[in-house]
Amino acid sequence: MPRKPRMYLPDVPAHIVQRGNNRDPTLFAEDDYRFYLNCLSQALKRYKVRLHAYVLMTNHVHLLLTPNSTDGISKVMSLLGQQYVMYINHTYRRSGTLWEGRHKASIVDAQDYLLTCYRYIELNPVRAGMVRNPEDYLWSSYGHNACHRTDPLIEDHEIYLGLGGTPDECSRYYRAMFENKLNNKDLEAIRYSSHCNYLLGNDRFKDKIERTLNRKVGYAKRGRPLRGGVNGQN
């Protein structure tokens, strides 16, 4: 079966998920997390891709990115993967596959889903039972987005900046969004779209993307079933 082509467009956000092979760990110690973020920072600058939200879990990562070009994200993930795998293999004297094939990707309708994706990503450690509150998890963008702690990796999206007139207001309104849990329909739509490399948005967004790409694309509506479930997703 041919690979499903990825959809990346300039200035259109994308939710990226990369998992360890066989769901095995890919980050083992604090130095690994720091090295991954350092590699990510270099790749983002080289290929002019903006990072809005992220979380590094023990066996997978989530990134919310906006590229300046159609191939920017692919180049970021390729360079990041090469550098990080070399580091892990050297550090732990291992060989073989680290990641589970190609990364998953879903372009996101910013108007309807961007801030929902922020929350989905940064709530991963809470859903996994690793912490009670997202601010208790060190390896995510929550501190920047919700607590006004500057993270040099993050470039605020225009929709995030629209939450308030000052950085403090943006952080305060953003924190307030976490007082309510994500509903199951949004959780299912985000999981389904990222797992299947579909776009995440409504019919208007789908039509716009199809006109831009000049081809039909699949997409995840709100509440779309997961066709038997997507096991292990946070």
Side-chain angles (χ1 to χ4, degrees):
M1 181 181 293
R3 290 177 172 178
K4 179 184 288 294
R6 292 206 186 88
M7 300 174 287
Y8 295 133
L9 292 170
D11 301 319
V12 178
H15 174 208
I16 308 300
V17 184
Q18 190 161 37
R19 298 186 179 276
N21 190 43
N22 295 322
R23 310 282 172 155
D24 289 338
T26 56
L27 297 123
F28 306 94
E30 287 193 3
D31 284 347
D32 304 340
Y33 290 82
R34 294 190 183 97
F35 187 83
Y36 184 96
L37 292 176
N38 182 59
C39 292
L40 176 59
S41 176
Q42 294 178 26
L44 293 171
K45 291 175 182 176
R46 178 177 296 187
Y47 297 116
K48 296 179 173 57
V49 175
R50 295 184 291 156
L51 174 67
H52 311 301
Y54 70 88
V55 67
L56 309 187
M57 305 292 281
T58 54
N59 67 352
H60 67 284
V61 301
H62 290 262
L63 308 171
L64 185 59
L65 304 169
T66 297
N68 281 2
S69 62
T70 56
D71 60 355
I73 291 178
S74 295
K75 289 180 176 179
V76 165
M77 298 306 296
S78 177
L79 179 61
L80 175 60
Q82 292 170 9
Q83 291 180 333
Y84 187 71
V85 170
M86 287 178 61
Y87 160 81
I88 289 294
N89 286 349
H90 174 76
T91 301
Y92 296 99
R93 292 177 170 81
R94 67 177 298 281
S95 60
T97 300
L98 180 67
W99 300 108
E100 183 185 62
R102 305 168 80 212
H103 65 271
K104 303 292 187 179
S106 172
I107 61 173
V108 177
D109 183 349
Q111 294 297 324
D112 283 355
Y113 271 107
L114 186 79
L115 294 177
T116 304
C117 278
Y118 271 70
R119 294 167 61 207
Y120 174 85
I121 289 169
E122 293 171 353
L123 283 169
N124 258 252
V126 177
R127 287 193 299 273
M130 300 171 71
V131 294
R132 293 188 64 182
N133 301 297
E135 61 264 31
D136 297 328
Y137 193 74
L138 180 61
W139 309 107
S140 88
S141 52
Y142 184 85
H144 177 98
N145 291 323
C147 304
H148 197 34
R149 297 198 297 263
T150 300
D151 186 331
L153 274 75
I154 297 297
E155 292 190 46
D156 298 325
H157 193 277
E158 292 79 5
I159 288 179
Y160 171 87
L161 293 174
L163 291 174
T166 67
D168 285 339
E169 287 182 354
C170 289
S171 295
R172 184 168 67 253
Y173 285 117
Y174 186 77
R175 283 196 306 274
M177 294 168 54
F178 285 73
E179 294 175 2
N180 299 314
K181 292 183 179 180
L182 288 173
N183 65 59
N184 288 334
K185 290 182 178 181
D186 285 343
L187 282 171
E188 291 174 355
I190 293 171
R191 288 169 174 165
Y192 184 82
S193 62
S194 63
H195 180 74
C196 298
N197 294 319
Y198 285 165
L199 65 80
L200 179 64
N202 59 22
D203 289 335
R204 170 193 52 78
F205 182 66
K206 176 176 177 287
D207 291 343
K208 177 182 176 181
I209 297 302
E210 288 183 339
R211 289 195 302 271
T212 301
L213 296 174
N214 195 30
R215 63 178 174 86
K216 295 291 185 181
V217 298
Y219 75 121
K221 292 182 179 178
R222 288 181 182 269
R224 182 157 186 162
L226 293 181
R227 296 182 181 176
V230 181
N231 294 328
Q233 290 220 21
N234 289 324

